[in-house]
Amino acid sequence: MEGRPLRGMRDYLGEEAILRSELLEKIKASFELFGFQPLETPALESWDVLSAKGAGGEEILEETYNFTDKAGRRIGLRYDLTVPLARVVASNPTLPLPYKRYQIGKVWRYGEVGKGRLREFTQCDIDIIGSEHMISDAEVITCAVHTLKNIGIDNFIVRLNNRKLLNSLVRLAGVPEEMTIDVLRAIDKIDKIELNGVIAELKKLDLTHNTLNSIVEFLKIRGKPSEVLTSAKDIVKGDKEGEEGVEELNKLLHNLKLMGSYEVITIDLSLARGLDYYTGPIFEFVALEGVGSITSGGRYDNLIKIFSGKQIPATGISLGLERIIEVLKETKEQKPKKTKTQTYIAATNDEVRDSVIEVATLLRQRGIKTDYDLKIRKLTRQLEYAASINVAYVIIVGKEELSRGAVKLRNMQTWEEKEVQIEQLHLYIK
Amino acid sequence: MEGRPLRGMRDYLGEEAILRSELLEKIKASFELFGFQPLETPALESWDVLSAKGAGGEEILEETYNFTDKAGRRIGLRYDLTVPLARVVASNPTLPLPYKRYQIGKVWRYGEVGKGRLREFTQCDIDIIGSEHMISDAEVITCAVHTLKNIGIDNFIVRLNNRKLLNSLVRLAGVPEEMTIDVLRAIDKIDKIELNGVIAELKKLDLTHNTLNSIVEFLKIRGKPSEVLTSAKDIVKGDKEGEEGVEELNKLLHNLKLMGSYEVITIDLSLARGLDYYTGPIFEFVALEGVGSITSGGRYDNLIKIFSGKQIPATGISLGLERIIEVLKETKEQKPKKTKTQTYIAATNDEVRDSVIEVATLLRQRGIKTDYDLKIRKLTRQLEYAASINVAYVIIVGKEELSRGAVKLRNMQTWEEKEVQIEQLHLYIK
């Protein structure tokens, strides 16, 4: 019998499970601090929903687990939490807007398996539906900044761009409309293949010399956000979509300043992002040590329309739990917890087993996370076990102390041991 | 475009999602209080694992979502959290035992859809692996009792029985071994069809008159746990398996007394439970108002052997989140929270929008869950919205108060309003 999980999927136990559980609690708390409300949607969706035109796109559908159910209906496992959200909003027309929701859940993609690339992974998403204002984009970015700092990731930058601006820059450079997507895809590879690689890719596309030069020129614009935007504004002057893009970014920067998250922002005209549905600001959080991109998102004002026929603006961001853990592993001196249990009660011999249970029951009633021996082992084995799981306190129950209504309490950090009345025990355990 | 989730699956938003999220937090806290550690396993498992002989059994496999992946491998969505646990234990031979884990997760079964019966639902499981002692069975029962009380369910009883005792009683009544399972299935229906119904079912099985009478006799035994066990002991006297069953129940009762959860226990010789893998004590928690069975479990000493070849004793219990919510709905005066947000900040006019953001940022830095208008609406619309989501406090930002470094704070319960310095604001919000 095969004991391992399926390829690209993982069991999490022990320290890893504790770390994941604690990170998810912190992420949830950060999301709620910013007024986002919980949402749960099913893991399975109808294929119609998953494959809606303008949603994930062909590339992602290739990787989507799908099959026919008993009723002959084609269904699949969700590949993200954004498309299900769009379905929910469309099917709840009385939902008060703006709707700020968070969702934390597994998603599945049957893709290549590699370091940090799994077939089942956890996304932590926040989205604001129904607000066209750049305050909302600033909210999701700031909430993500707060969340990452809250879990101990400080060393990152936020790359910011705008699809409108990008469309305009590419058009003004002379790229024919039908080639826009190819050019954006080439630009999007700049992280991996650098500017020279992008130039080589663009050359394959049969662009004119002037067009190529114009693109390279705007890709080279670097500097403070305000300087980059001033340069971009000059280029797109007179082009409505481009001016809108610049205007959106200016408003976004203004709000990010008010929210105190301006210092991590860079405007990066080479950020294009893969997914088809983005329409306005797009953003990507990059860890300066380790795995690179950890969080990304953007505005998608047309996605909900696909499901409801009604134009409803939306913006959001997604944090990948596994990527965050990669960054933490590479940058932090992790001292992972082996147990969440605070105290372990040991019996000196079998006569006091019942008393061990009574002490455990009392401590639990008082809110102390408590465990004790369930295998009727010798004292030395019990103490070995307690030490191996890094429990903070061990309580030793012996006949003599019991006769005085007491037990021994050992602090496993300091190795200090003292006799404590059972009734007082909970006061000594932190 | 179909906007609804798939049949038998649900979206949870608003109050429902908040209730679920808060219940899960409490359930998790109760599990950790008893020293259980988190485990996560994938939603998908290989068909070999799901269909292992002696695991779920034919009936449950009929309802299991399964398909062939791109590599031609048959896989399926898990139908419970116990079989994956057995796989994990088998594939981690160095895991220190006893292993006490909890797992909270979705499971999927393509069955009939009805009230309280969904195709995607949430199980909250605790199990103790590697201890044959009745302390462990008492631990899982007591932890479940604590968990239910912790979430406000008080009115329930625990039905207790033992597969060994049941096997023995049925055998001594004269049932041929090959018919044991059919007899147990008939007995298991007693909740739905009552004793007369069970008799009718048994009559169909072509049992002798004496056998039928003997079965009816032991099913009629009622009374205090100790009395029922004394009667049962008399019947099985001299039958090794039966005596073991009685002995296990006696030890279990002793430990439940020590743990303070004895008062909810009944011994019920008609409890049989469907799943094939139970080998010792079996238990079922029944709400006295509402949906009936809310929690169940038992000892399954042979399940892990299927995966590892090694006999490892195990016992556990499973709480169904959706059933718990049904009970809460029927028994409690629920006043569900519409939001987790503590305070909503309103702007008197557009001039003060930036200040609203600054106040929100300050409050969030101080840990107050805060929201504000993202749609640039008029003050009256903002206040309507704040009232509709049941937020506890509204902060009104106006130009005049701002000039004094202050805002208005309105308590939405008492309707009391006062001017508060922005720097002091967090001290007023509970």
Side-chain angles (χ1 to χ4, degrees):
Chain A
M1 172 64 56
E2 177 105 16
R4 278 167 298 144
L6 293 170
R7 184 166 152 72
M9 307 198 177
R10 292 207 44 204
D11 298 320
Y12 299 98
L13 52 166
E15 297 163 17
E16 270 191 306
I18 291 172
L19 176 66
R20 287 170 66 87
S21 159
E22 291 186 343
L23 286 175
L24 288 180
E25 276 167 31
K26 283 183 188 169
I27 290 168
K28 196 178 151 190
S30 294
F31 289 174
E32 290 181 356
L33 189 65
F34 280 73
F36 291 89
Q37 308 293 322
L39 171 70
E40 280 181 70
T41 66
L44 290 164
E45 294 277 358
S46 84
W47 188 251
D48 288 353
V49 167
L50 295 173
S51 65
K53 198 169 147 48
E58 266 316 306
E59 225 165 294
I60 221 165
L61 286 180
E62 281 285 309
E63 298 192 341
T64 300
Y65 286 91
N66 69 93
F67 57 101
T68 305
D69 73 10
K70 284 195 206 171
R73 217 187 145 123
R74 195 168 176 203
I75 60 180
L77 285 161
R78 66 185 175 208
Y79 53 77
D80 76 2
L81 302 174
T82 310
V83 170
L85 169 64
R87 178 188 57 68
V88 167
V89 172
S91 67
N92 289 274
T94 62
L95 197 66
L97 300 182
Y99 176 47
K100 291 173 82 170
R101 85 87 178 80
Y102 72 86
Q103 184 167 8
I104 296 173
K106 298 271 164 88
V107 302
W108 296 266
R109 293 185 197 173
Y110 193 113
E112 285 304 308
V113 176
K115 197 190 168 199
R117 278 186 66 89
L118 291 165
R119 288 180 178 167
E120 176 184 74
F121 53 99
T122 303
Q123 288 194 331
C124 312
D125 280 26
I126 48 173
D127 291 83
I128 300 175
I129 310 294
S131 161
E132 70 275 32
H133 301 285
M134 289 300 116
I135 310 174
S136 299
D137 302 78
E139 276 267 297
V140 296
I141 292 171
T142 304
C143 180
V145 169
H146 181 278
T147 304
L148 290 176
K149 289 189 173 170
N150 192 28
I151 56 186
I153 297 180
D154 289 300
N155 203 6
F156 62 88
I157 56 159
V158 179
R159 299 168 69 201
L160 210 62
N161 201 2
N162 188 298
R163 271 285 176 98
K164 287 177 186 157
L165 174 57
L166 211 43
N167 289 341
S168 168
L169 286 169
V170 168
R171 183 170 54 237
L172 293 172
V175 175
E177 177 141 12
E178 68 277 13
M179 291 181 67
T180 308
I181 264 291
D182 299 316
V183 170
L184 291 186
R185 289 217 177 105
I187 292 174
D188 204 32
K189 294 184 188 162
I190 202 164
D191 281 347
K192 289 177 198 147
I193 59 179
E194 304 207 337
L195 185 57
N196 283 335
V198 173
I199 292 170
E201 289 275 315
L202 291 173
K203 277 185 177 158
K204 290 185 208 157
L205 292 176
D206 236 6
L207 303 169
T208 68
H209 191 70
N210 277 349
T211 296
L212 187 61
N213 277 353
S214 301
I215 294 173
V216 171
E217 207 153 299
F218 80 68
L219 289 181
K220 277 185 176 162
I221 301 174
R222 287 277 177 281
K224 287 184 193 164
S226 57
E227 288 167 11
V228 174
L229 277 187
T230 306
S231 305
K233 196 176 177 178
D234 283 346
I235 303 178
V236 299
K237 202 175 179 95
D239 181 86
K240 192 165 162 276
E241 192 183 12
E243 285 179 344
E244 262 180 48
V246 171
E247 178 63 13
E248 283 182 2
L249 286 175
N250 271 321
K251 283 185 181 160
L252 184 47
L253 289 176
H254 172 75
N255 287 310
L256 289 169
K257 260 179 211 155
L258 291 171
M259 295 178 192
S261 51
Y262 181 76
E263 86 271 21
V264 290
I265 305 292
T266 57
I267 303 280
D268 186 335
L269 298 177
S270 72
L271 177 70
R273 305 230 53 233
L275 280 163
D276 287 2
Y277 53 58
Y278 292 115
T279 55
I282 44 179
F283 18 92
E284 182 171 64
F285 289 51
V286 183
L288 296 178
E289 299 158 85
V291 293
S293 172
I294 41 175
T295 301
S296 56
R299 178 164 281 276
Y300 50 99
D301 283 349
N302 297 331
L303 180 61
I304 293 165
K305 197 179 179 181
I306 298 171
F307 296 95
S308 70
K310 226 170 104 188
Q311 180 87 17
I312 299 178
T315 184
I317 208 165
S318 180
L319 286 77
L321 181 65
E322 288 78 13
R323 295 218 141 215
I324 284 172
I325 290 173
E326 286 295 319
V327 175
L328 284 174
K329 275 186 189 159
E330 290 186 31
T331 61
K332 287 268 162 185
E333 289 276 327
Q334 290 281 327
K335 213 202 159 188
K337 273 192 219 171
K338 290 192 178 174
T339 183
K340 298 193 106 176
T341 304
Q342 295 164 280
T343 185
Y344 185 88
I345 312 178
T348 50
N349 62 50
D350 288 347
E351 273 179 83
V352 299
R353 295 279 170 186
D354 284 1
S355 302
V356 166
I357 296 178
E358 285 166 339
V359 174
T361 301
L362 192 75
L363 286 178
R364 286 166 175 174
Q365 279 163 358
R366 289 173 178 173
I368 311 279
K369 298 193 188 96
T370 302
D371 202 5
Y372 60 96
D373 182 39
L374 300 170
K375 278 180 78 76
I376 320 295
R377 292 179 285 202
K378 290 216 165 78
L379 180 61
T380 47
R381 293 294 312 282
Q382 296 175 57
L383 295 176
E384 274 166 32
Y385 176 81
S388 79
I389 60 167
N390 271 359
V391 82
Y393 296 91
V394 168
I395 292 160
I396 301 166
V397 177
K399 215 177 164 186
E400 201 196 314
E401 292 85 4
L402 272 184
S403 70
R404 296 187 289 271
V407 291
K408 273 189 205 152
L409 176 69
R410 185 186 286 177
N411 181 323
M412 298 293 279
Q413 295 295 307
T414 61
W415 218 248
E416 189 199 355
E417 200 173 287
K418 58 182 155 202
E419 189 171 316
V420 176
Q421 286 297 113
I422 291 168
E423 274 300 326
Q424 306 265 298
L425 207 43
H426 62 289
L427 304 172
Y428 288 82
I429 294 162
K430 271 166 239 147
Chain B
M1 172 66 55
E2 177 103 16
R4 277 168 298 146
L6 292 171
R7 184 167 153 72
M9 308 200 176
R10 293 206 43 205
D11 298 319
Y12 299 99
L13 50 166
E15 296 163 18
E16 271 191 305
I18 292 172
L19 177 64
R20 288 171 64 88
S21 157
E22 291 186 343
L23 286 176
L24 288 179
E25 277 167 32
K26 283 183 188 167
I27 291 169
K28 195 178 151 187
S30 295
F31 290 175
E32 290 181 356
L33 189 64
F34 279 73
F36 292 90
Q37 307 294 321
L39 171 71
E40 279 182 70
T41 65
L44 291 164
E45 293 277 0
S46 85
W47 188 250
D48 287 352
V49 167
L50 295 173
S51 65
K53 197 169 151 44
E58 265 315 307
E59 224 165 293
I60 221 165
L61 286 180
E62 280 285 309
E63 298 191 342
T64 300
Y65 286 91
N66 68 92
F67 57 101
T68 305
D69 74 8
K70 282 194 208 173
R73 216 188 147 125
R74 195 166 176 205
I75 60 179
L77 284 162
R78 64 184 177 210
Y79 53 77
D80 77 1
L81 303 174
T82 309
V83 170
L85 169 64
R87 178 187 57 68
V88 167
V89 173
S91 67
N92 288 274
T94 62
L95 198 65
L97 299 182
Y99 177 47
K100 291 173 81 171
R101 84 88 176 80
Y102 72 86
Q103 183 167 9
I104 296 173
K106 299 272 164 88
V107 302
W108 296 266
R109 293 184 198 174
Y110 193 112
E112 283 306 307
V113 176
K115 198 190 168 201
R117 279 185 65 90
L118 291 165
R119 288 182 177 164
E120 177 184 74
F121 52 99
T122 303
Q123 288 194 333
C124 312
D125 281 25
I126 47 172
D127 289 85
I128 299 176
I129 309 294
S131 162
E132 69 275 30
H133 300 285
M134 289 300 116
I135 311 174
S136 298
D137 303 77
E139 275 269 297
V140 296
I141 292 172
T142 304
C143 180
V145 169
H146 181 278
T147 304
L148 290 176
K149 290 189 173 170
N150 192 29
I151 58 186
I153 297 180
D154 289 300
N155 203 6
F156 61 88
I157 55 158
V158 179
R159 299 169 69 202
L160 210 62
N161 201 1
N162 188 299
R163 272 285 176 99
K164 287 176 185 156
L165 174 57
L166 211 43
N167 290 341
S168 167
L169 285 169
V170 168
R171 183 171 52 238
L172 294 171
V175 174
E177 176 143 14
E178 68 276 14
M179 291 181 67
T180 309
I181 263 292
D182 299 317
V183 170
L184 291 186
R185 289 218 178 104
I187 293 175
D188 204 32
K189 292 184 190 161
I190 200 164
D191 280 347
K192 288 176 198 148
I193 59 179
E194 306 207 337
L195 185 57
N196 284 334
V198 172
I199 293 170
E201 290 274 315
L202 291 173
K203 279 186 175 156
K204 288 185 209 157
L205 293 175
D206 234 5
L207 303 168
T208 68
H209 191 70
N210 277 348
T211 297
L212 188 60
N213 277 354
S214 301
I215 294 173
V216 171
E217 208 152 300
F218 80 68
L219 288 182
K220 277 187 177 162
I221 301 173
R222 287 277 177 280
K224 286 185 192 165
S226 57
E227 290 166 9
V228 175
L229 277 186
T230 306
S231 308
K233 198 176 177 179
D234 283 345
I235 304 177
V236 299
K237 204 174 177 97
D239 182 86
K240 192 164 165 275
E241 192 182 12
E243 285 180 344
E244 261 180 50
V246 172
E247 177 64 14
E248 283 182 2
L249 286 174
N250 272 322
K251 282 186 181 160
L252 185 48
L253 289 175
H254 172 75
N255 287 311
L256 289 168
K257 260 180 210 152
L258 292 172
M259 295 179 192
S261 50
Y262 180 75
E263 86 271 20
V264 291
I265 304 293
T266 58
I267 303 281
D268 186 334
L269 299 177
S270 72
L271 177 70
R273 306 229 54 231
L275 279 163
D276 286 0
Y277 53 58
Y278 293 115
T279 55
I282 44 179
F283 18 92
E284 181 171 65
F285 288 51
V286 183
L288 296 177
E289 299 159 86
V291 294
S293 171
I294 40 175
T295 301
S296 57
R299 178 165 280 277
Y300 50 99
D301 282 349
N302 297 331
L303 181 60
I304 293 165
K305 197 178 179 181
I306 299 170
F307 296 95
S308 70
K310 225 169 106 186
Q311 180 87 18
I312 299 178
T315 185
I317 209 166
S318 180
L319 286 77
L321 181 65
E322 288 77 14
R323 294 219 142 214
I324 284 172
I325 290 173
E326 285 297 317
V327 175
L328 284 174
K329 274 186 189 159
E330 290 185 33
T331 61
K332 287 270 160 185
E333 289 276 326
Q334 289 282 325
K335 214 202 155 184
K337 273 191 218 171
K338 290 192 175 172
T339 182
K340 299 193 103 172
T341 304
Q342 296 164 279
T343 185
Y344 185 89
I345 312 177
T348 50
N349 62 49
D350 289 347
E351 273 179 82
V352 298
R353 295 278 170 184
D354 285 0
S355 302
V356 166
I357 296 178
E358 285 165 340
V359 174
T361 302
L362 193 74
L363 286 178
R364 286 165 175 175
Q365 279 163 357
R366 288 172 179 173
I368 311 281
K369 298 192 189 97
T370 302
D371 201 6
Y372 60 96
D373 181 40
L374 301 170
K375 280 181 76 77
I376 319 295
R377 293 178 283 203
K378 289 216 166 78
L379 179 61
T380 47
R381 294 294 311 282
Q382 296 175 58
L383 294 176
E384 275 166 32
Y385 175 82
S388 77
I389 60 168
N390 270 358
V391 82
Y393 296 92
V394 168
I395 291 158
I396 301 166
V397 176
K399 212 175 165 188
E400 203 196 312
E401 291 84 5
L402 271 186
S403 69
R404 295 188 289 273
V407 291
K408 273 190 205 149
L409 176 70
R410 185 185 286 176
N411 181 321
M412 298 293 280
Q413 297 293 308
T414 61
W415 219 247
E416 189 199 355
E417 200 172 286
K418 59 183 155 200
E419 188 170 316
V420 175
Q421 287 297 114
I422 291 169
E423 276 299 325
Q424 306 265 300
L425 207 42
H426 62 289
L427 303 173
Y428 290 81
I429 293 162
K430 272 166 240 146

